[in-house]
Amino acid sequence: MSPTTQSTGFPADEHANNKKQFIMKKYLGTLLLFCVAISANAQLLWRISGNGLTEPSYIMGTHHLASLSIKDSIQGLQTALDHTRQVYGELKMSEMQDQTKAAALMQKYMTTETDTTFKSLFTDEEYELINKCSKENLMFDIAMLPKVKPAFLSNNLIVILYMKHVGGFNPQEQLDTYFQTQATEKGKKTEGLETMDFQMDLLYNQSSLKRQAETLLCFINNIDENIELTKKLTSAYMAQDLAAMEKISDGELCSMTPQEKTNMIDNRNQKWVKALPEIMKTAPTFIAVGALHLPGENGVLSLLKKQGYTVEPMN
């Protein structure tokens, strides 16, 4: 009887057992790699050490539409906050809460300085569609401010529509504000990597009025799909999955052009990473920036590693 056909002979049994062991080892190895990949992606908080730092600093990805409750599920967050002596965000939030300053900047950037009116950027039918959406959701009739920039409506509609369709979100309770408020109460320094003036200019002047009009119209014509994408993006954030957030963002219906993405994400990452070494040398620092600035080849995590830092998830 051939060793390969007998049911009880040792050669065949040994071959079968070896094959089973190989398959099991391969399966367990694949499962282990999968778990490691999930662990690596499902992280919002990272420790930065090495490259001359005597004490570690930490970087955390935030999301403006996330519930503040996420802080209770981020492993190592309290340790990171307790062991740092200063907090840096994209902005110094206390300055953003200065209503006089914020109103002056908004007035400076939200309207055009040319003869171009909002209405002239659209057909009559498009204008009526947009104005109807604005009045229903922002309680704002565009005729009251005829030179308003389309980007003003786009930026505000995203937040308002999300609030209307997703319960439990309070724009007054954001992680960026929470971290800096906690630091101030404990006598720690708070600072911003950018100024309000810089961010306003980025939001309202980086694209032409024509491009802003195209983006706004795209958003309103695909409003349900955009709301769902925003929900998915926030769900991915609550699951602490940076890779999923990056994928969802890249698949947005009215996504940024490559140049807009360079201006909004990549250039700012480069600027921050140039400034962070000196900041972290001064004192152990807790850094909080938008989560989509962290992943990818041009992300802050990768750029810090290229500078020689050890960047590892908090477990």
Side-chain angles (χ1 to χ4, degrees), residues 30-192:
T30 303
L31 182 62
L32 178 60
L33 288 173
F34 175 76
C35 291
V36 168
I38 289 295
S39 175
N41 288 332
Q43 295 289 338
L44 298 177
L45 179 62
W46 301 73
R47 181 194 296 109
I48 307 166
S49 60
N51 199 24
L53 293 181
T54 56
E55 297 178 80
S57 287
Y58 301 85
I59 188 164
M60 162 94 184
T62 63
H63 180 51
H64 298 312
L65 298 178
S67 168
L68 189 58
S69 64
I70 183 71
K71 66 182 176 61
D72 299 322
S73 59
I74 298 172
Q75 195 167 355
L77 177 58
Q78 196 57 52
T79 297
L81 291 170
D82 289 342
H83 288 79
T84 47
R85 296 199 297 273
Q86 57 186 7
V87 172
Y88 270 72
E90 292 185 27
L91 294 173
K92 186 169 183 175
M93 300 307 291
S94 60
E95 292 182 0
M96 192 173 178
Q97 291 166 343
D98 183 336
Q99 294 185 0
T100 302
K101 184 174 183 179
L105 280 173
M106 185 61 72
Q107 179 133 10
K108 176 182 176 182
Y109 286 106
M110 70 183 283
T111 57
T112 66
E113 297 178 351
T114 67
D115 292 333
T116 305
T117 63
F118 184 95
K119 191 171 184 178
S120 69
L121 296 167
F122 303 94
T123 66
D124 289 343
E125 185 180 59
E126 290 168 347
Y127 176 81
E128 290 305 320
L129 174 68
I130 295 168
N131 201 26
K132 181 175 182 288
C133 182
S134 179
K135 286 189 283 188
E136 288 176 353
N137 295 287
L138 301 177
M139 309 305 165
F140 169 64
D141 187 333
I142 299 169
M144 296 170 60
L145 203 61
K147 289 190 176 183
V148 69
K149 293 178 181 176
F152 173 79
L153 269 69
S154 297
N155 293 332
N156 285 280
L157 278 171
I158 291 169
V159 177
I160 295 298
L161 287 167
Y162 185 83
M163 289 173 63
K164 288 179 72 172
H165 292 274
V166 180
F169 170 67
N170 182 352
Q172 303 303 316
E173 296 180 349
Q174 292 187 358
L175 284 167
D176 306 80
T177 304
Y178 171 80
F179 293 140
Q180 294 192 32
T181 300
Q182 291 291 306
T184 300
E185 289 176 355
K186 294 179 180 180
K188 298 180 181 181
K189 175 183 175 181
T190 63
E191 195 53 79

Side-chain angles (χ1 to χ4, degrees), residues 161-227:
L161 287 167
Y162 185 83
M163 289 173 63
K164 288 179 72 172
H165 292 274
V166 180
F169 170 67
N170 182 352
Q172 303 303 316
E173 296 180 349
Q174 292 187 358
L175 284 167
D176 306 80
T177 304
Y178 171 80
F179 293 140
Q180 294 192 32
T181 300
Q182 291 291 306
T184 300
E185 289 176 355
K186 294 179 180 180
K188 298 180 181 181
K189 175 183 175 181
T190 63
E191 195 53 79
L193 294 166
E194 297 172 342
T195 64
M196 284 178 61
D197 199 77
F198 173 85
Q199 285 206 358
M200 288 284 192
D201 186 62
L202 191 65
L203 287 171
Y204 296 109
N205 289 339
Q206 77 149 331
S207 300
S208 68
L209 293 175
K210 181 181 178 182
R211 172 60 183 161
Q212 290 182 32
E214 290 173 354
T215 302
L216 174 60
L217 193 60
C218 177
F219 178 81
I220 289 178
N221 282 332
N222 298 280
I223 206 160
D224 291 336
E225 293 87 345
N226 278 298
I227 290 169

Side-chain angles (χ1 to χ4, degrees), residues 208-275:
S208 68
L209 293 175
K210 181 181 178 182
R211 172 60 183 161
Q212 290 182 32
E214 290 173 354
T215 302
L216 174 60
L217 193 60
C218 177
F219 178 81
I220 289 178
N221 282 332
N222 298 280
I223 206 160
D224 291 336
E225 293 87 345
N226 278 298
I227 290 169
E228 285 306 309
L229 278 171
T230 305
K231 287 182 181 179
K232 288 179 181 178
L233 189 67
T234 304
S235 294
Y237 180 81
M238 298 302 285
Q240 304 187 43
D241 194 336
L242 290 175
M245 288 188 74
E246 187 177 30
K247 185 176 181 180
I248 293 165
S249 178
D250 288 341
E252 287 179 348
L253 295 172
C254 308
S255 58
M256 294 182 283
T257 64
Q259 185 58 54
E260 287 168 349
K261 185 175 181 182
T262 296
N263 293 340
M264 185 65 72
I265 305 292
D266 297 346
N267 288 349
R268 294 166 73 201
N269 291 351
Q270 293 279 357
K271 183 179 177 182
W272 297 344
V273 169
K274 285 181 181 178

